């Protein structure tokens, strides 16, 4: 009773791990995940580039101030 998982919680997970390709919509979901990952990497790269350019301009113009 204590420390043992309930039978209903173990059996569905065992069924999902046995045949993951049977689930409908799984290839579509994987495609969405890949697109979201690529979009996030593009967002991060753009943010890093913009911050780098801003820092470069600030360092370049730092000597012009009185």
């Amino acid at each position: 009773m204590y420390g043992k998982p309930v039978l209903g919680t173990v059996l569905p997970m065992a069924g999902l791990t046995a045949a993951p390709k049977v689930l409908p919509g799984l290839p579509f979901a994987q495609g969405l995940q890949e697109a979201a990952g690529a979009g996030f990497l593009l967002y991060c790269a753009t943010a890093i580039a913009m911050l780098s350019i801003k820092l470069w301009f600030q360092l370049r113009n730092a000597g012009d101030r009185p």
Side-chain angles (χ1 to χ4, degrees):
M1 184 169 158
Y2 295 107
K4 294 182 181 178
V6 180
L7 185 61
T9 60
V10 175
L11 286 179
M13 294 178 82
L16 286 176
T17 57
K21 297 291 182 186
V22 178
L23 295 173
L26 191 62
F28 179 69
Q30 287 176 344
L32 283 178
Q33 254 184 336
E34 291 172 2
F40 179 70
L41 288 177
L42 179 64
Y43 171 78
C44 289
T46 304
I48 289 172
M50 291 175 70
L51 289 172
S52 299
I53 291 170
K54 181 179 177 182
L55 180 65
W56 181 70
F57 274 123
Q58 285 182 348
L59 290 175
R60 196 180 84 173
N61 294 332
D64 296 341
R65 295 183 188 154

